[in-house]
Amino acid sequence: MSPRRNRPKGPGSSGRSADEDRERYGGWQSTESWQGEEWNVRHVAGASAEGKTYRCPGCDQVISSGVPHVVAWPEFAGVDDRRHWHKSCWNAKDRRTTRVQRSRNAPKY
């Protein structure tokens, strides 16, 4: 039988690497250019979105609790301008057309 490895960790060390912590607690953040502005984009892990729901501005559908998604806001905007997007909606934002509001009985073609 091999001996146990009980080595003390340094102060504040959780045993995980910085990359693992970043991935677990909100992912990584980058800056992207869209519509002539710089946007801060943060990838949110599903675990950190537990118990919260948001409405995606790309598809106007609810982002369920615990679903990984993207938070984006203009670079020089405040907290109130943050928007939560599905990852696929954020990636397809340039291919989307303006949303047409249809009545319930309107044909979908």
Side-chain angles (χ1 to χ4, degrees):
M1 183 161 83
S2 61
R4 258 177 57 184
R5 294 184 187 201
N6 248 357
R7 295 187 186 135
K9 297 177 180 147
S13 175
S14 63
R16 291 185 299 266
S17 71
D19 291 333
E20 289 170 341
D21 277 343
R22 192 177 10 238
E23 194 173 305
R24 181 174 180 206
Y25 298 109
W28 47 273
Q29 184 170 328
S30 63
T31 304
E32 295 183 22
S33 182
W34 181 49
Q35 294 181 341
E37 285 187 83
E38 292 297 314
W39 287 70
N40 294 316
V41 180
R42 180 176 294 151
H43 294 264
V44 178
S48 61
E50 195 67 39
K52 302 172 189 171
T53 58
Y54 304 100
R55 184 160 299 272
C56 175
C59 65
D60 202 31
Q61 299 296 313
V62 172
I63 301 173
S64 301
S65 171
V67 173
H69 61 279
V70 172
V71 179
W73 66 98
E75 187 175 23
F76 297 108
V79 174
D80 294 335
D81 293 325
R82 291 185 299 187
R83 295 295 174 256
H84 296 254
W85 296 68
H86 291 107
K87 287 183 180 185
S88 58
C89 293
W90 177 255
N91 292 336
K93 65 190 177 297
D94 293 327
R95 296 188 303 268
R96 292 189 178 277
T97 60
T98 57
R99 278 184 270 156
V100 177
Q101 298 291 329
R102 295 185 174 97
S103 68
R104 288 182 175 229
N105 298 328
K108 297 187 180 188
Y109 55 109

